Structure formats: structure tokens, C-alpha cells
Amino acid sequence: MRRLTAEARLSVDDLVAPLFVKEGIDAPEPVVSMPGVVQHTQESLRKEVRALADLGIPAVILFGVPAAKDARGSGADDPDGVVQVALRNLRDEVGDDPVLMADDCLDEYTDHGHCGLLSASGEVDNDATLERYASIAIAQADAGADVVAPSGMMDGQVGAIRTALDASGHADTAILAYSAKYASALYGPFRDAAECAPQFGDRRGYQMHPANAREALDETAADLAEGADMVMVKPALAYLDVIASLRDAFDVPVAAYHVSGEYAMLKAAAANGWIDGDAVAREHLLAIRRAGADFVLTYLAREVAEHLQS
Ligand code: PBG
């Protein structure tokens, strides 16, 4: 009866797996603050995506860790950059399914660790960064990305990317906008995994204040006006109200990112035997769905899919 009358459901169709691929390593490297998550080699990534496809996971999102970083994040749009190589490999491996998404940002590629180019005074230069994001989107689409996902929270990023994609023969490449991305303390483990902690300052100049929910509507409306196809709230559990209000206000697919810190807290408590990790994982993801997310980016994707299948 509970199954029949459930208002929300969690299925493998709702899961997107975030994956890290690192240049210049011979074997996958575990991410200590994210038990079960690794930095992949190109080869181990191929195998992982094949396994996720076999489980029926409909999409993956790739984050690259380049061997070398510089001020402008040159590896991000290099045709031979780590994510572009991965996209071509995976296209070859899996064909059209799963959907291949790529994070469009600079922080993994810049030596200073910020999501944009810096001005002479060391501030992130919003407008100069837009050209970089546009160029990254083209490189990713050329390499086979179905979806590009700008995560830097620069004003105008969606419009700049849409224009660039359309002008380069990629009108069919979709944009998943990180529209309501908060300046959260929950991204710490990701910064270990992607080796992208800012070398000075923080990201409060471009990411949203956790106090603000109405602002999320404004940010999302702007992204949609610029051509976003899908929008995202990030992190997830502390922002269920924001997910619900976006769901009410807009008719496009709404995604939520269950981020690294949310995953790490769950794994740490489960490892201590303080909670039932599997049960909490499913409860959390179901709650994110109930709040109104159509799909969830989560490091739990594989284990939850395996459980749902069994
Ligand atoms: C930025 C980016 C971040 C995450 C996804 N894209 C880090 C940040 O904003 O500092 C965090 C995801 C997570 O914590 O799981 N490219």
C-alpha cells in the first residue's frame, strides 16, 4: 500500500553520477575525504561508465584534473585536455547512452583555484571569464558532450555559452545551469578530489549567500532567459526549500546536486556505525525528489542503483 500510494519515488532514472578523471596517473587514486570515490585514469573511467550504463544510470558528469595548471586554465578548452580526451573515449565506448555531461568551469584548471580569470588586482573578472567558458563549451561539445554545465556562477555565463555553441554548429548541445549555487562549506571534499581549493580568498564573490532563497528565483529566471535548458540547486539537503520553490516557479527540469560534503558526512557516520548508511542514502535522495528535483547528481549513484536493481 505504501508503494502504491507513494507521492515520490526514487529510481535509477533519477541519478547522475559525478566522476573525476585525472591526467598523468597510471592507476585510480582514492579520494580520502570521499570513501568509495576515486580520481580515474582514462581506462578506469571507461570501465566505470560502462558499469554505470549497464546499471541503467542515464547520465554522468565529468570533472577533469589536469597535470598542469596555469592562470587562464588552458587545459579546460585544450582539445587534448583531460576531459575532452575522456569525452571522446566514452562516446566511443558507450554510444548515445548514458548522456555525457561536462562541468564547464575553470577552478580545476587554474593555478590560483578560482572559477574565473583574475584581474590585475586579484579579483575574479566576470566578463573576461565568459569568453573562457564559451571556449570550454565548444571544446567539450566538439569532443562529444551532450550537455555542458557551467558551475562558476558568473553573470551572463549561460548566454555566452549558448551563443558560442549555436555559432559553432552545436545548437543541439544542452545547457544545465548551476543556477542556484551557494557559497557552501560542503564543497571541501570535492576540492580534494578535483584539487581545486582556492589558493587565496573564497568564492563568496560569485556564489550565493546561504541566507537567500528569493535570489535563487531571480538567478534561475536570468539563466532561463539566456537559454538554459535545465537548472540546478546546489547543495541539496540544506536547500530543499529552494528546490521546492524552483519546482513551483518554472517548468524546466530541475536538478539538485547532493554534494561532496553531504556524501562525506553520510559515509563518516556510517563507517562509525552511527547510522545505517544505505537507509540514510535512500532517504536523503528520496527527500530531494519529494522536494521537487527531477534528477540528482550524487556520488551515491552507483551504490543506490545497485541496491534498486537487487
Ligand atoms: C566548481 C565546482 C565545485 C563543485 C562542483 N563544481 C566546487 C566549488 O564550487 O568550489 C562542488 C561539488 C561537490 O562538492 O560535490 N567547478
mmCIF file of all heavy atoms in Angstrom, residues 31-82:
data_model
loop_
_atom_site.group_PDB
_atom_site.id
_atom_site.type_symbol
_atom_site.label_atom_id
_atom_site.label_comp_id
_atom_site.label_asym_id
_atom_site.label_seq_id
_atom_site.Cartn_x
_atom_site.Cartn_y
_atom_site.Cartn_z
ATOM 1 N N VAL A 31 40.020 9.125 -3.203
ATOM 2 C CA VAL A 31 39.856 10.446 -2.593
ATOM 3 C C VAL A 31 39.561 10.197 -1.115
ATOM 4 O O VAL A 31 38.512 9.656 -0.773
ATOM 5 C CB VAL A 31 38.695 11.218 -3.260
ATOM 6 C CG1 VAL A 31 38.525 12.588 -2.606
ATOM 7 C CG2 VAL A 31 38.932 11.338 -4.763
ATOM 8 N N VAL A 32 40.518 10.557 -0.256
ATOM 9 C CA VAL A 32 40.438 10.157 1.152
ATOM 10 C C VAL A 32 39.167 10.679 1.834
ATOM 11 O O VAL A 32 38.537 9.966 2.616
ATOM 12 C CB VAL A 32 41.706 10.628 1.903
ATOM 13 C CG1 VAL A 32 41.589 10.363 3.395
ATOM 14 C CG2 VAL A 32 42.926 9.911 1.336
ATOM 15 N N SER A 33 38.791 11.914 1.520
ATOM 16 C CA SER A 33 37.622 12.501 2.186
ATOM 17 C C SER A 33 36.296 12.051 1.566
ATOM 18 O O SER A 33 35.230 12.460 2.028
ATOM 19 C CB SER A 33 37.732 14.020 2.165
ATOM 20 O OG SER A 33 37.953 14.479 0.847
ATOM 21 N N MET A 34 36.363 11.210 0.536
ATOM 22 C CA MET A 34 35.142 10.691 -0.094
ATOM 23 C C MET A 34 35.286 9.179 -0.293
ATOM 24 O O MET A 34 35.543 8.710 -1.409
ATOM 25 C CB MET A 34 34.897 11.369 -1.447
ATOM 26 C CG MET A 34 34.737 12.876 -1.344
ATOM 27 S SD MET A 34 34.555 13.663 -2.952
ATOM 28 C CE MET A 34 32.883 13.180 -3.367
ATOM 29 N N PRO A 35 35.104 8.396 0.784
ATOM 30 C CA PRO A 35 35.317 6.944 0.671
ATOM 31 C C PRO A 35 34.482 6.346 -0.470
ATOM 32 O O PRO A 35 33.289 6.617 -0.572
ATOM 33 C CB PRO A 35 34.824 6.419 2.025
ATOM 34 C CG PRO A 35 34.853 7.595 2.946
ATOM 35 C CD PRO A 35 34.645 8.814 2.111
ATOM 36 N N GLY A 36 35.154 5.573 -1.317
ATOM 37 C CA GLY A 36 34.445 4.962 -2.448
ATOM 38 C C GLY A 36 34.577 5.757 -3.739
ATOM 39 O O GLY A 36 34.242 5.266 -4.808
ATOM 40 N N VAL A 37 35.071 6.994 -3.646
ATOM 41 C CA VAL A 37 35.239 7.827 -4.848
ATOM 42 C C VAL A 37 36.717 7.848 -5.215
ATOM 43 O O VAL A 37 37.579 7.895 -4.336
ATOM 44 C CB VAL A 37 34.725 9.262 -4.585
ATOM 45 C CG1 VAL A 37 35.047 10.192 -5.753
ATOM 46 C CG2 VAL A 37 33.224 9.236 -4.322
ATOM 47 N N VAL A 38 37.005 7.785 -6.511
ATOM 48 C CA VAL A 38 38.402 7.831 -6.958
ATOM 49 C C VAL A 38 38.584 8.899 -8.027
ATOM 50 O O VAL A 38 37.628 9.329 -8.666
ATOM 51 C CB VAL A 38 38.878 6.464 -7.536
ATOM 52 C CG1 VAL A 38 38.747 5.346 -6.510
ATOM 53 C CG2 VAL A 38 38.128 6.118 -8.821
ATOM 54 N N GLN A 39 39.845 9.282 -8.208
ATOM 55 C CA GLN A 39 40.233 10.016 -9.406
ATOM 56 C C GLN A 39 40.576 8.947 -10.433
ATOM 57 O O GLN A 39 41.472 8.134 -10.202
ATOM 58 C CB GLN A 39 41.455 10.889 -9.127
ATOM 59 C CG GLN A 39 41.195 11.983 -8.095
ATOM 60 C CD GLN A 39 42.483 12.708 -7.735
ATOM 61 O OE1 GLN A 39 43.521 12.076 -7.505
ATOM 62 N NE2 GLN A 39 42.437 14.024 -7.674
ATOM 63 N N HIS A 40 39.853 8.960 -11.552
ATOM 64 C CA HIS A 40 40.025 7.894 -12.529
ATOM 65 C C HIS A 40 41.163 8.160 -13.497
ATOM 66 O O HIS A 40 41.479 9.308 -13.810
ATOM 67 C CB HIS A 40 38.735 7.737 -13.358
ATOM 68 C CG HIS A 40 37.653 6.997 -12.648
ATOM 69 N ND1 HIS A 40 37.691 5.640 -12.452
ATOM 70 C CD2 HIS A 40 36.505 7.428 -12.071
ATOM 71 C CE1 HIS A 40 36.599 5.252 -11.795
ATOM 72 N NE2 HIS A 40 35.868 6.324 -11.548
ATOM 73 N N THR A 41 41.728 7.070 -14.012
ATOM 74 C CA THR A 41 42.527 7.141 -15.234
ATOM 75 C C THR A 41 41.518 7.088 -16.388
ATOM 76 O O THR A 41 40.336 6.766 -16.183
ATOM 77 C CB THR A 41 43.458 5.923 -15.359
ATOM 78 O OG1 THR A 41 42.645 4.742 -15.533
ATOM 79 C CG2 THR A 41 44.331 5.754 -14.114
ATOM 80 N N GLN A 42 41.989 7.348 -17.601
ATOM 81 C CA GLN A 42 41.074 7.252 -18.748
ATOM 82 C C GLN A 42 40.514 5.829 -18.845
ATOM 83 O O GLN A 42 39.329 5.634 -19.140
ATOM 84 C CB GLN A 42 41.806 7.621 -20.051
ATOM 85 C CG GLN A 42 42.278 9.084 -20.116
ATOM 86 C CD GLN A 42 41.143 10.096 -20.283
ATOM 87 O OE1 GLN A 42 39.982 9.732 -20.503
ATOM 88 N NE2 GLN A 42 41.468 11.377 -20.149
ATOM 89 N N GLU A 43 41.360 4.858 -18.541
ATOM 90 C CA GLU A 43 40.930 3.470 -18.676
ATOM 91 C C GLU A 43 39.922 3.075 -17.600
ATOM 92 O O GLU A 43 38.900 2.442 -17.879
ATOM 93 C CB GLU A 43 42.176 2.556 -18.634
ATOM 94 C CG GLU A 43 41.984 1.210 -19.270
ATOM 95 C CD GLU A 43 41.182 1.243 -20.557
ATOM 96 O OE1 GLU A 43 41.469 2.074 -21.449
ATOM 97 O OE2 GLU A 43 40.234 0.427 -20.669
ATOM 98 N N SER A 44 40.202 3.470 -16.350
ATOM 99 C CA SER A 44 39.256 3.091 -15.288
ATOM 100 C C SER A 44 37.943 3.859 -15.448
ATOM 101 O O SER A 44 36.871 3.365 -15.094
ATOM 102 C CB SER A 44 39.869 3.286 -13.893
ATOM 103 O OG SER A 44 40.018 4.632 -13.545
ATOM 104 N N LEU A 45 38.012 5.053 -16.007
ATOM 105 C CA LEU A 45 36.786 5.823 -16.264
ATOM 106 C C LEU A 45 35.890 5.095 -17.271
ATOM 107 O O LEU A 45 34.682 4.967 -17.091
ATOM 108 C CB LEU A 45 37.135 7.213 -16.791
ATOM 109 C CG LEU A 45 35.930 8.120 -17.047
ATOM 110 C CD1 LEU A 45 35.337 8.622 -15.742
ATOM 111 C CD2 LEU A 45 36.314 9.309 -17.933
ATOM 112 N N ARG A 46 36.521 4.636 -18.328
ATOM 113 C CA ARG A 46 35.790 3.860 -19.340
ATOM 114 C C ARG A 46 35.019 2.704 -18.695
ATOM 115 O O ARG A 46 33.839 2.490 -18.967
ATOM 116 C CB ARG A 46 36.801 3.219 -20.287
ATOM 117 C CG ARG A 46 36.779 3.662 -21.693
ATOM 118 C CD ARG A 46 37.809 2.801 -22.406
ATOM 119 N NE ARG A 46 38.482 3.525 -23.457
ATOM 120 C CZ ARG A 46 38.165 3.413 -24.762
ATOM 121 N NH1 ARG A 46 37.188 2.627 -25.155
ATOM 122 N NH2 ARG A 46 38.823 4.082 -25.656
ATOM 123 N N LYS A 47 35.735 1.957 -17.853
ATOM 124 C CA LYS A 47 35.120 0.781 -17.211
ATOM 125 C C LYS A 47 33.983 1.201 -16.297
ATOM 126 O O LYS A 47 32.937 0.561 -16.254
ATOM 127 C CB LYS A 47 36.167 0.035 -16.377
ATOM 128 C CG LYS A 47 37.097 -0.798 -17.188
ATOM 129 C CD LYS A 47 37.690 -1.948 -16.325
ATOM 130 C CE LYS A 47 38.899 -2.560 -17.003
ATOM 131 N NZ LYS A 47 40.175 -2.062 -16.491
ATOM 132 N N GLU A 48 34.203 2.279 -15.552
ATOM 133 C CA GLU A 48 33.176 2.745 -14.621
ATOM 134 C C GLU A 48 31.924 3.185 -15.386
ATOM 135 O O GLU A 48 30.800 2.831 -15.004
ATOM 136 C CB GLU A 48 33.735 3.906 -13.784
ATOM 137 C CG GLU A 48 32.754 4.504 -12.783
ATOM 138 C CD GLU A 48 32.392 3.560 -11.637
ATOM 139 O OE1 GLU A 48 33.068 2.523 -11.468
ATOM 140 O OE2 GLU A 48 31.421 3.865 -10.915
ATOM 141 N N VAL A 49 32.111 3.905 -16.451
ATOM 142 C CA VAL A 49 30.947 4.398 -17.187
ATOM 143 C C VAL A 49 30.216 3.237 -17.867
ATOM 144 O O VAL A 49 28.982 3.211 -17.930
ATOM 145 C CB VAL A 49 31.346 5.508 -18.183
ATOM 146 C CG1 VAL A 49 30.167 5.910 -19.063
ATOM 147 C CG2 VAL A 49 31.862 6.723 -17.411
ATOM 148 N N ARG A 50 30.965 2.269 -18.305
ATOM 149 C CA ARG A 50 30.331 1.059 -18.870
ATOM 150 C C ARG A 50 29.467 0.376 -17.795
ATOM 151 O O ARG A 50 28.319 0.013 -18.029
ATOM 152 C CB ARG A 50 31.448 0.131 -19.393
ATOM 153 C CG ARG A 50 31.112 -1.291 -19.708
ATOM 154 C CD ARG A 50 29.959 -1.514 -20.678
ATOM 155 N NE ARG A 50 30.093 -0.830 -21.942
ATOM 156 C CZ ARG A 50 29.053 -0.443 -22.707
ATOM 157 N NH1 ARG A 50 27.804 -0.668 -22.320
ATOM 158 N NH2 ARG A 50 29.246 0.172 -23.845
ATOM 159 N N ALA A 51 29.999 0.273 -16.591
ATOM 160 C CA ALA A 51 29.250 -0.361 -15.491
ATOM 161 C C ALA A 51 28.006 0.459 -15.132
ATOM 162 O O ALA A 51 26.928 -0.102 -14.891
ATOM 163 C CB ALA A 51 30.151 -0.522 -14.262
ATOM 164 N N LEU A 52 28.154 1.773 -15.104
ATOM 165 C CA LEU A 52 27.008 2.630 -14.784
ATOM 166 C C LEU A 52 25.940 2.515 -15.870
ATOM 167 O O LEU A 52 24.741 2.472 -15.582
ATOM 168 C CB LEU A 52 27.467 4.090 -14.635
ATOM 169 C CG LEU A 52 28.380 4.379 -13.430
ATOM 170 C CD1 LEU A 52 29.002 5.764 -13.542
ATOM 171 C CD2 LEU A 52 27.625 4.245 -12.117
ATOM 172 N N ALA A 53 26.381 2.435 -17.116
ATOM 173 C CA ALA A 53 25.436 2.280 -18.224
ATOM 174 C C ALA A 53 24.690 0.954 -18.086
ATOM 175 O O ALA A 53 23.466 0.888 -18.262
ATOM 176 C CB ALA A 53 26.171 2.338 -19.561
ATOM 177 N N ASP A 54 25.414 -0.094 -17.721
ATOM 178 C CA ASP A 54 24.781 -1.401 -17.559
ATOM 179 C C ASP A 54 23.761 -1.397 -16.420
ATOM 180 O O ASP A 54 22.790 -2.154 -16.441
ATOM 181 C CB ASP A 54 25.828 -2.494 -17.334
ATOM 182 C CG ASP A 54 26.656 -2.741 -18.594
ATOM 183 O OD1 ASP A 54 26.222 -2.298 -19.681
ATOM 184 O OD2 ASP A 54 27.740 -3.346 -18.492
ATOM 185 N N LEU A 55 23.994 -0.539 -15.421
ATOM 186 C CA LEU A 55 23.033 -0.418 -14.318
ATOM 187 C C LEU A 55 21.816 0.420 -14.710
ATOM 188 O O LEU A 55 20.853 0.518 -13.961
ATOM 189 C CB LEU A 55 23.706 0.245 -13.109
ATOM 190 C CG LEU A 55 24.591 -0.644 -12.244
ATOM 191 C CD1 LEU A 55 25.451 0.225 -11.329
ATOM 192 C CD2 LEU A 55 23.736 -1.611 -11.417
ATOM 193 N N GLY A 56 21.908 1.089 -15.855
ATOM 194 C CA GLY A 56 20.784 1.910 -16.318
ATOM 195 C C GLY A 56 20.850 3.362 -15.891
ATOM 196 O O GLY A 56 19.881 4.113 -16.059
ATOM 197 N N ILE A 57 21.973 3.777 -15.345
ATOM 198 C CA ILE A 57 22.131 5.192 -14.968
ATOM 199 C C ILE A 57 22.111 6.047 -16.234
ATOM 200 O O ILE A 57 22.856 5.772 -17.173
ATOM 201 C CB ILE A 57 23.442 5.367 -14.171
ATOM 202 C CG1 ILE A 57 23.265 4.589 -12.866
ATOM 203 C CG2 ILE A 57 23.792 6.842 -13.978
ATOM 204 C CD1 ILE A 57 23.955 5.053 -11.677
ATOM 205 N N PRO A 58 21.229 7.052 -16.284
ATOM 206 C CA PRO A 58 21.032 7.751 -17.548
ATOM 207 C C PRO A 58 22.062 8.818 -17.896
ATOM 208 O O PRO A 58 22.106 9.249 -19.045
ATOM 209 C CB PRO A 58 19.644 8.395 -17.396
ATOM 210 C CG PRO A 58 19.441 8.534 -15.931
ATOM 211 C CD PRO A 58 20.217 7.435 -15.279
ATOM 212 N N ALA A 59 22.872 9.250 -16.929
ATOM 213 C CA ALA A 59 23.828 10.317 -17.250
ATOM 214 C C ALA A 59 24.998 10.313 -16.276
ATOM 215 O O ALA A 59 24.859 9.905 -15.118
ATOM 216 C CB ALA A 59 23.144 11.680 -17.213
ATOM 217 N N VAL A 60 26.137 10.804 -16.767
ATOM 218 C CA VAL A 60 27.299 11.042 -15.906
ATOM 219 C C VAL A 60 27.760 12.483 -16.149
ATOM 220 O O VAL A 60 27.479 13.058 -17.197
ATOM 221 C CB VAL A 60 28.471 10.063 -16.206
ATOM 222 C CG1 VAL A 60 28.046 8.618 -15.986
ATOM 223 C CG2 VAL A 60 29.018 10.250 -17.621
ATOM 224 N N ILE A 61 28.430 13.053 -15.159
ATOM 225 C CA ILE A 61 29.027 14.378 -15.351
ATOM 226 C C ILE A 61 30.507 14.298 -15.020
ATOM 227 O O ILE A 61 30.889 13.731 -13.991
ATOM 228 C CB ILE A 61 28.295 15.472 -14.553
ATOM 229 C CG1 ILE A 61 28.934 16.850 -14.809
ATOM 230 C CG2 ILE A 61 28.227 15.186 -13.046
ATOM 231 C CD1 ILE A 61 28.061 18.030 -14.399
ATOM 232 N N LEU A 62 31.337 14.822 -15.911
ATOM 233 C CA LEU A 62 32.785 14.683 -15.781
ATOM 234 C C LEU A 62 33.450 15.949 -15.243
ATOM 235 O O LEU A 62 33.114 17.060 -15.660
ATOM 236 C CB LEU A 62 33.407 14.381 -17.149
ATOM 237 C CG LEU A 62 32.941 13.132 -17.872
ATOM 238 C CD1 LEU A 62 33.752 12.958 -19.151
ATOM 239 C CD2 LEU A 62 33.066 11.895 -16.978
ATOM 240 N N PHE A 63 34.415 15.722 -14.348
ATOM 241 C CA PHE A 63 35.277 16.783 -13.833
ATOM 242 C C PHE A 63 36.720 16.368 -14.116
ATOM 243 O O PHE A 63 37.104 15.230 -13.830
ATOM 244 C CB PHE A 63 35.095 16.942 -12.323
ATOM 245 C CG PHE A 63 33.708 17.395 -11.937
ATOM 246 C CD1 PHE A 63 32.709 16.466 -11.655
ATOM 247 C CD2 PHE A 63 33.403 18.746 -11.858
ATOM 248 C CE1 PHE A 63 31.431 16.870 -11.303
ATOM 249 C CE2 PHE A 63 32.123 19.165 -11.499
ATOM 250 C CZ PHE A 63 31.136 18.236 -11.226
ATOM 251 N N GLY A 64 37.514 17.287 -14.651
ATOM 252 C CA GLY A 64 38.885 16.955 -15.013
ATOM 253 C C GLY A 64 39.892 17.483 -14.010
ATOM 254 O O GLY A 64 39.702 18.551 -13.428
ATOM 255 N N VAL A 65 40.954 16.706 -13.820
ATOM 256 C CA VAL A 65 42.083 17.151 -13.003
ATOM 257 C C VAL A 65 43.306 17.126 -13.914
ATOM 258 O O VAL A 65 43.838 16.052 -14.222
ATOM 259 C CB VAL A 65 42.303 16.226 -11.786
ATOM 260 C CG1 VAL A 65 43.366 16.810 -10.857
ATOM 261 C CG2 VAL A 65 41.000 15.998 -11.024
ATOM 262 N N PRO A 66 43.737 18.305 -14.397
ATOM 263 C CA PRO A 66 44.837 18.345 -15.367
ATOM 264 C C PRO A 66 46.186 18.134 -14.690
ATOM 265 O O PRO A 66 46.322 18.349 -13.485
ATOM 266 C CB PRO A 66 44.743 19.766 -15.925
ATOM 267 C CG PRO A 66 44.207 20.567 -14.774
ATOM 268 C CD PRO A 66 43.261 19.638 -14.033
ATOM 269 N N ALA A 67 47.185 17.730 -15.472
ATOM 270 C CA ALA A 67 48.537 17.546 -14.922
ATOM 271 C C ALA A 67 49.174 18.899 -14.621
ATOM 272 O O ALA A 67 49.951 19.026 -13.683
ATOM 273 C CB ALA A 67 49.389 16.758 -15.908
ATOM 274 N N ALA A 68 48.860 19.905 -15.425
ATOM 275 C CA ALA A 68 49.465 21.228 -15.223
ATOM 276 C C ALA A 68 48.371 22.296 -15.184
ATOM 277 O O ALA A 68 47.379 22.200 -15.894
ATOM 278 C CB ALA A 68 50.433 21.523 -16.359
ATOM 279 N N LYS A 69 48.585 23.290 -14.352
ATOM 280 C CA LYS A 69 47.616 24.380 -14.216
ATOM 281 C C LYS A 69 48.305 25.695 -14.523
ATOM 282 O O LYS A 69 49.506 25.825 -14.311
ATOM 283 C CB LYS A 69 47.062 24.419 -12.790
ATOM 284 C CG LYS A 69 46.453 23.083 -12.345
ATOM 285 C CD LYS A 69 45.737 23.217 -11.016
ATOM 286 C CE LYS A 69 45.261 21.839 -10.532
ATOM 287 N NZ LYS A 69 43.959 21.896 -9.884
ATOM 288 N N ASP A 70 47.540 26.662 -15.009
ATOM 289 C CA ASP A 70 48.097 27.998 -15.218
ATOM 290 C C ASP A 70 47.030 29.047 -14.912
ATOM 291 O O ASP A 70 45.913 28.699 -14.514
ATOM 292 C CB ASP A 70 48.664 28.141 -16.646
ATOM 293 C CG ASP A 70 47.612 27.899 -17.721
ATOM 294 O OD1 ASP A 70 46.399 28.039 -17.419
ATOM 295 O OD2 ASP A 70 47.977 27.587 -18.861
ATOM 296 N N ALA A 71 47.384 30.305 -15.110
ATOM 297 C CA ALA A 71 46.488 31.385 -14.676
ATOM 298 C C ALA A 71 45.174 31.398 -15.448
ATOM 299 O O ALA A 71 44.132 31.788 -14.911
ATOM 300 C CB ALA A 71 47.192 32.730 -14.815
ATOM 301 N N ARG A 72 45.229 31.000 -16.724
ATOM 302 C CA ARG A 72 43.991 31.058 -17.524
ATOM 303 C C ARG A 72 43.292 29.700 -17.666
ATOM 304 O O ARG A 72 42.288 29.572 -18.344
ATOM 305 C CB ARG A 72 44.244 31.696 -18.893
ATOM 306 C CG ARG A 72 45.319 31.031 -19.732
ATOM 307 C CD ARG A 72 45.634 31.855 -20.970
ATOM 308 N NE ARG A 72 44.475 31.993 -21.855
ATOM 309 C CZ ARG A 72 44.049 31.055 -22.693
ATOM 310 N NH1 ARG A 72 44.663 29.884 -22.753
ATOM 311 N NH2 ARG A 72 43.013 31.271 -23.487
ATOM 312 N N GLY A 73 43.819 28.691 -17.029
ATOM 313 C CA GLY A 73 43.170 27.384 -17.079
ATOM 314 C C GLY A 73 43.179 26.796 -18.470
ATOM 315 O O GLY A 73 42.153 26.309 -18.973
ATOM 316 N N SER A 74 44.361 26.780 -19.100
ATOM 317 C CA SER A 74 44.462 26.368 -20.512
ATOM 318 C C SER A 74 43.977 24.950 -20.774
ATOM 319 O O SER A 74 43.482 24.650 -21.863
ATOM 320 C CB SER A 74 45.919 26.466 -20.981
ATOM 321 O OG SER A 74 46.395 27.764 -20.792
ATOM 322 N N GLY A 75 44.107 24.063 -19.783
ATOM 323 C CA GLY A 75 43.704 22.675 -20.001
ATOM 324 C C GLY A 75 42.204 22.509 -20.201
ATOM 325 O O GLY A 75 41.742 21.505 -20.752
ATOM 326 N N ALA A 76 41.460 23.516 -19.793
ATOM 327 C CA ALA A 76 39.999 23.362 -19.807
ATOM 328 C C ALA A 76 39.413 23.300 -21.210
ATOM 329 O O ALA A 76 38.428 22.605 -21.448
ATOM 330 C CB ALA A 76 39.353 24.504 -19.015
ATOM 331 N N ASP A 77 40.019 24.045 -22.143
ATOM 332 C CA ASP A 77 39.474 24.048 -23.508
ATOM 333 C C ASP A 77 40.468 23.495 -24.530
ATOM 334 O O ASP A 77 40.244 23.598 -25.728
ATOM 335 C CB ASP A 77 39.000 25.445 -23.907
ATOM 336 C CG ASP A 77 40.108 26.485 -23.799
ATOM 337 O OD1 ASP A 77 41.096 26.238 -23.079
ATOM 338 O OD2 ASP A 77 39.975 27.545 -24.428
ATOM 339 N N ASP A 78 41.550 22.898 -24.055
ATOM 340 C CA ASP A 78 42.509 22.249 -24.946
ATOM 341 C C ASP A 78 41.823 21.015 -25.560
ATOM 342 O O ASP A 78 41.283 20.186 -24.822
ATOM 343 C CB ASP A 78 43.722 21.821 -24.091
ATOM 344 C CG ASP A 78 44.818 21.157 -24.911
ATOM 345 O OD1 ASP A 78 44.527 20.666 -26.017
ATOM 346 O OD2 ASP A 78 45.948 21.119 -24.405
ATOM 347 N N PRO A 79 41.837 20.883 -26.883
ATOM 348 C CA PRO A 79 41.198 19.700 -27.490
ATOM 349 C C PRO A 79 41.771 18.394 -26.945
ATOM 350 O O PRO A 79 41.090 17.373 -26.925
ATOM 351 C CB PRO A 79 41.491 19.831 -28.983
ATOM 352 C CG PRO A 79 41.915 21.243 -29.189
ATOM 353 C CD PRO A 79 42.402 21.798 -27.878
ATOM 354 N N ASP A 80 43.039 18.437 -26.485
ATOM 355 C CA ASP A 80 43.641 17.244 -25.885
ATOM 356 C C ASP A 80 43.626 17.297 -24.362
ATOM 357 O O ASP A 80 44.332 16.524 -23.701
ATOM 358 C CB ASP A 80 45.083 17.071 -26.391
ATOM 359 C CG ASP A 80 45.111 16.821 -27.889
ATOM 360 O OD1 ASP A 80 44.246 16.058 -28.364
ATOM 361 O OD2 ASP A 80 45.958 17.417 -28.584
ATOM 362 N N GLY A 81 42.844 18.197 -23.801
ATOM 363 C CA GLY A 81 42.706 18.285 -22.354
ATOM 364 C C GLY A 81 42.026 17.035 -21.809
ATOM 365 O O GLY A 81 41.355 16.285 -22.531
ATOM 366 N N VAL A 82 42.179 16.820 -20.513
ATOM 367 C CA VAL A 82 41.804 15.540 -19.904
ATOM 368 C C VAL A 82 40.308 15.206 -20.086
ATOM 369 O O VAL A 82 39.944 14.048 -20.354
ATOM 370 C CB VAL A 82 42.257 15.494 -18.426
ATOM 371 C CG1 VAL A 82 41.612 16.590 -17.589
ATOM 372 C CG2 VAL A 82 42.014 14.135 -17.809
#
